[in-house]
Amino acid sequence: MSLFSTAKKKFSDYGKLPKSKKLENVITVSSLFFIFKIFFPNVENPVVGAVNEILMFLLLVVWIYFVQDLVHGKANRPMTLVINSGVLITAVYFLMNLFPELFDKVTVTKPPVGEQLILLLLYFGFFIAGVSVFTVLRELFFLKQKKNPKFYYDVLVFFLTAVFLTRLLIVIGIPLLSLVSALYVVVVILFAINSIRVAWIAFLTKKEKMFLLIVSIVLSTVFGLIYSLTSSSTGILNIAMNSFSPGFHSLFNLLMLYGTIAYGVIFLTTLFHLPTAEAFEKKAEEVSSLTDLTNLAANAFDFSELAENLTAHTLQISGADVAWLYVNDEQGWSVAAAQNIGKEEAFILTETVLSGFENKIPESLKILDEKTFKFKSGDSVRSLKFESLILAPLGIHNEINGCLFIGSFNYSYFDEDDRKTIKAFADYAAVSLENSFLIKKSIEKERLEKELDIARDIQHKIIPGILPKLDNLETAASFIPAFEVGGDYYDFYNREDGKITFIIADVSGKGISAAFVMAELKGIFESLASISQSPKEMLVKMNSLLAKSLTEKEFVTATVGTIDTAKGELLIARAGHTPVIIGRKGDVMRLTPAGIGLGMSGNEKFSSVLEEEKFLLQEDDLIFLFTDGVTEAQNKYDDLFGTKRIENILKENAGKLPGEISEIVITEVTLFSKDVPQRDDITFVIFKFKRNNQRK
Amino acid sequence: MADFTIKSEEINSVNVLSVGGYLDAHTAPQLEQAFDDLLNKKKFKVVVDFENLNYISSAGLGVFMAYIETMRENGGDIKFSNLKSDVYEIFDLLGFPVLYEFFADKEEAIKKFEEQE
């Protein structure tokens, strides 16, 4: 047995050699054998016979390994393999019948060189055909086998080798004819066993099976005919082949027998498989349909495309006449896809069908048999008679967001399998629908976040980074933007006459649209402030300029003011904005001159309502400007921070500098709303009038 | 976040929208929907009753501005009633009372519509 396993190891090593090396060996050994054959065409002499057989053995080995590599790539197409070997073996059969007188001469005397060469080429042709047929049978044997059947195959190869070697011994003169017969019996039994491995037939389509049925019976017959030609004891071919190589002759005979049996079994198996071919094909199609859909779902952002495929596949599998998918997406209920029926028609039909279910999609799969539905289609009333109509709800997380309808007009019966398949498709549709919504949502979210990034960027560029430095005035400002970008804005302008103009504004709405209005506001403010207009004049112009860019529901509240630090004079106008709070020695007051928000009314009305208020500042007066983000900061009890709390801070910290007060306001607001997310920008500006505070 | 509620009823051919809770950027679309419904039904006389409204943001205020012109052009109006003082303060600061009519309760507002006819 150790000899056997060493041999096995050697062969398997050889099998791993590259193709080019194998081809090299094939050419070398073939040439050697060819030359040898020209000198010694017959094997009468035991020595010549032995050399002949050893060369033949080598020839078999190198050729089998070479052809195996060639055939292996085609293993997934069994029909191609069968046809190729069929063509080869039929050719062999014709050649054998074409030149009977040629083979005849072999037995008589040494034939002329020309004929001998033709004969040799013919033999070689048989040889290659034999090797190919053997390799193809081997491939078919291993095809679609779940358990590794290598053992059975190895045993067969072992006995075939034994046959060959026994023949070799006979050639040298050892009488072993009875052993050969015994081995023949074993090999034939092994053939029968190995021929049963034909699982691959089940996976063929019905068309392929029909074809295989014809091919296999023809092949089985051809193999049988060749076998009878080469094995009959009186036949010329028998003697002729023996003169080529007795060992190969035996193997060839056996191979023909193997072919007869194997293709016979294939014929019978295919015959028995034919009635179930259609059902098997349908099942295989269902499986591959689901796989296709899964692949689609992984790549489809577009639910409508998926719905189209889903309904088409459902129709194909169930053999029904119409199919449509009724779903609830963000825009409400609609028919996402329909096969063999118009979408609008399907929609009306759906409503008609569902009216029988209290206008709700049933929770489980329902089959309606022999139902006629009358519904309006355009101006006329249509009536559709279904032999069978399936309603398969699309349910996910106990929520039904759609229904798959499959109807047939004449195929009256949906069996249990169809139900299961349709249910699987509906479940599948439910998941994909959910997925496509989630994808849409996440894309939308990403888009909003990008937009907010831009808005925040704009806002940061608009809000001044540096505070004005002026005689007689201490300044502090704070801006805490909300995640959604609230549209708050403040700015200062140092005028040539030594006064300072300031603005604090709040654009309604949030995000990028608010940020754009802010940007526009900044442009307007800077150009108006530079021509030294009064706060009221500025706001009136702002109202008319902004009217063009604000939509109906947008508006801006703003307070514009100037401070004459030399005289200690504050002049303000307020367009709908929060009051200005003045802190004076522990007391507070609100300045709320009349005014409508910007963009809320025409200029005439706006200007007639708008008041300008002059306020004379005293030493250490605090001016507090803010947006509603401060007063509307909420705590977890839904209380608002309110103006009162600001006023209290100003009262209690009258002696402190704006920077210190700013810190206190931020701390208080933060503490107040610590458990609640910030909804709006928190913005405020503080001035303190210090007459004797000379900077320079 | 606190909820927003809205109820629509018709009293003597005037439509009363009773709003409650929090009206901000997130709940404003519900109010817009209510106004759209009224426009579809060609109802232009509207009283918004604020009895239960606790908070209004700039987005909420914007909704009224968006519809007032259409209502007035069609011979109707939007009138406000029953505002809590802190909610009224917000309207007041913005200058709404100059542009819109405010009433202590919805009956008064409805009466005003009837007088105008």
Side-chain angles (χ1 to χ4, degrees), chain A residues 553 574 576 597 600 632 634, chain B residues 22 24 32 55 62 93-94 96:
Chain A
K553 54 180 168 181
R574 188 191 65 91
M600 286 172 64
E632 289 177 14
Q634 280 184 326
Chain B
Y22 279 66
D24 57 20
E32 282 174 15
Y55 172 82
L93 278 174
L94 261 171
F96 261 62

Side-chain angles (χ1 to χ4, degrees), chain A residues 416-460:
Chain A
E416 192 53 35
D417 267 5
D418 291 330
R419 286 177 63 138
K420 276 187 188 156
T421 312
I422 288 164
K423 180 155 185 339
F425 272 56
D427 288 346
Y428 181 76
V431 175
S432 335
L433 186 66
E434 179 80 4
N435 280 349
S436 78
F437 288 168
L438 290 178
I439 288 171
K440 252 191 212 164
K441 266 188 206 158
S442 74
I443 289 173
E444 179 69 7
K445 201 176 157 224
E446 205 170 302
R447 190 185 66 79
L448 282 176
E449 274 169 16
K450 284 244 168 68
E451 211 183 275
L452 284 178
D453 281 343
I454 297 168
R456 260 176 245 130
D457 200 33
I458 295 172
Q459 197 173 27
H460 273 286

Side-chain angles (χ1 to χ4, degrees), chain A residues 649-679:
Chain A
I649 294 170
L650 294 183
K651 280 182 195 168
E652 285 161 19
N653 301 286
K656 295 203 168 100
L657 287 170
E660 294 166 322
I661 297 169
S662 168
E663 293 291 323
I664 295 164
V665 173
I666 291 171
T667 313
E668 293 274 315
V669 172
T670 314
L671 281 176
F672 178 79
S673 57
K674 65 172 189 284
D675 297 316
V676 182
Q678 183 192 343
R679 289 203 301 191

Side-chain angles (χ1 to χ4, degrees), chain A residues 484 507-510 552-555 557 574-579 590 592 595-597 599-601 605 609 632 634 638 640 643 679, chain B residues 1-2 22 24-26 32 54-59 61-63 65-67 69-70 86 89-90 92-96 98-100:
Chain A
E484 284 185 287
V507 178
S508 78
K510 287 178 160 53
E552 280 177 324
K553 54 180 168 181
E554 285 175 324
F555 59 89
T557 67
R574 188 191 65 91
H577 200 72
T578 52
R590 293 182 196 178
T592 320
I596 311 168
M600 286 172 64
S601 65
K605 186 107 192 170
V609 172
E632 289 177 14
Q634 280 184 326
D638 291 343
L640 305 178
T643 317
R679 289 203 301 191
Chain B
M1 190 130 302
Y22 279 66
D24 57 20
H26 299 280
E32 282 174 15
N54 298 316
Y55 172 82
I56 186 161
S57 80
S58 59
L61 294 162
V63 177
M65 287 164 49
Y67 289 94
E69 281 310 313
T70 322
D86 47 351
E89 202 184 320
I90 292 168
D92 190 30
L93 278 174
L94 261 171
F96 261 62
V98 179
L99 309 165
Y100 303 84

Side-chain angles (χ1 to χ4, degrees), chain A residues 673-687:
Chain A
S673 57
K674 65 172 189 284
D675 297 316
V676 182
Q678 183 192 343
R679 289 203 301 191
D680 202 353
D681 298 345
I682 293 173
T683 310
F684 58 88
V685 176
I686 309 171
F687 297 111

